[in-house]
Amino acid sequence: MIFDCTQVARLCQVADEEFREPVVLEGAGLWAGVLSRGRCALSSPLAPPAAAGSLLLAAAPVVLEPAEECHLLAVRLEGTAAELFLRGLDGPMFAAGVGCPGAAGLIAALAEAPAQGQGLLCYQLLCELAAADQAGPALPPLVAAAAAAMEENYAGLYGVEELSASLGVSKSHLVRAFKAAMGITPGQYLTGVRLEAAKLLLARREYPLEVVASLCGFSGANYLCRVFKKATGQTPTAFRAAAAGANARSLPLPREEELYV
């Protein structure tokens, strides 16, 4: 055989899930799926919920958190083309299905295709999804500005009142707009950003917990421990031990240098 298309892209697994509780997708390669019913978010305090018609693109493990009863049809692809596709992803994501109008049909066809017809469909699906990162639903300007402000100044921001004042709107208006777009309140989002920063410091630094709390905007080590345990099921100390040597996602740490000035 001169060319084996299964080395480029091949189907390894199909997931046809109806769920009300969190679902975990596992296995090597790329998961590509279509959410045909319900609203669902990736398991992250920073991820807004996706609506029906959205496309899932992710490497495993992927944890899906339904906001209501959902249906997802997804395929797991391996091969050189799938590996290259994954390198272009910053992380698990939902994309707007309107940006890749043929993707849902290809996923459905692939899920039912006989083995000899799968390779070409896999490749066609990857081509259709190539611009999916440009098809994400745009956030309202106020919500996008609020999220950016929290990500840039999570350590020094006192709370939602200060944030809303800086954006020139009332706190109640910001909370309503933010929750409608993101599915969570600005306060919950800010806590999520701070927790992500704490995870990074715990994985890459040996700072005492009081210092980690200060750098990430928590009022003290005890409060950090309570929030961290509630969100992750682990204490910061246990997380640090488990993450030793692991690469963590980079986040700006605006107050790390100030600590030693």
Side-chain angles (χ1 to χ4, degrees):
M1 181 179 291
I2 296 176
F3 176 72
D4 183 1
C5 62
T6 62
Q7 298 301 310
V8 176
R10 60 185 177 273
L11 176 66
C12 296
Q13 186 178 349
V14 176
D16 190 349
E17 301 281 351
E18 294 194 23
F19 56 103
R20 291 178 178 269
E21 301 297 328
V23 166
V24 181
L25 301 178
E26 298 182 305
L30 168 71
W31 277 104
V34 57
L35 186 68
S36 61
R37 185 173 70 253
R39 295 172 67 251
C40 184
L42 297 166
S43 182
S44 165
L46 311 185
S54 299
L55 300 171
L56 170 69
L57 297 171
V62 187
V63 181
L64 302 173
E65 300 275 0
E68 57 196 42
E69 184 175 357
C70 294
H71 176 257
L72 176 78
L73 179 63
V75 293
R76 181 168 63 86
L77 308 181
E78 292 187 20
T80 55
E83 292 172 4
L84 288 171
F85 191 100
L86 279 172
R87 291 178 191 174
L89 284 180
D90 292 331
M93 64 175 287
F94 275 109
V98 294
C100 307
L106 286 167
I107 291 170
L110 186 55
E112 299 180 356
Q116 63 269 26
Q118 292 174 0
L120 179 58
L121 284 171
C122 289
Y123 186 72
Q124 290 175 333
L125 176 59
L126 291 174
C127 291
E128 179 69 17
L129 294 171
D133 60 339
Q134 302 172 17
L139 292 173
L142 174 62
V143 176
M150 287 185 278
E151 291 166 7
E152 292 170 5
N153 192 33
Y154 58 86
L157 194 62
Y158 286 105
V160 179
E161 292 86 354
E162 180 187 3
L163 175 63
S164 60
S166 70
L167 295 171
V169 297
S170 68
K171 176 183 175 182
S172 59
H173 178 66
L174 176 60
V175 170
R176 282 196 303 270
F178 200 95
K179 189 167 185 179
M182 300 289 281
I184 57 176
T185 66
Q188 290 171 318
Y189 189 91
L190 179 58
T191 298
V193 174
R194 287 170 170 166
L195 283 170
E196 290 297 307
K199 290 176 184 178
L200 175 63
L201 279 180
L202 290 166
R204 297 177 55 187
R205 301 286 192 269
E206 292 297 328
Y207 295 146
L209 292 184
E210 197 66 47
V211 174
V212 173
S214 176
L215 290 174
C216 298
F218 292 100
S219 59
N222 289 337
Y223 183 58
L224 167 63
C225 290
R226 289 199 303 273
V227 174
F228 199 97
K229 179 70 179 292
K230 182 178 180 180
T232 68
Q234 292 181 295
T235 65
T237 302
F239 178 88
R240 170 178 277 162
N247 291 324
R249 180 169 68 88
S250 179
L251 281 172
L253 297 172
R255 297 184 66 188
E256 188 172 11
E257 292 182 1
E258 296 174 11
L259 189 67
Y260 297 105
V261 172

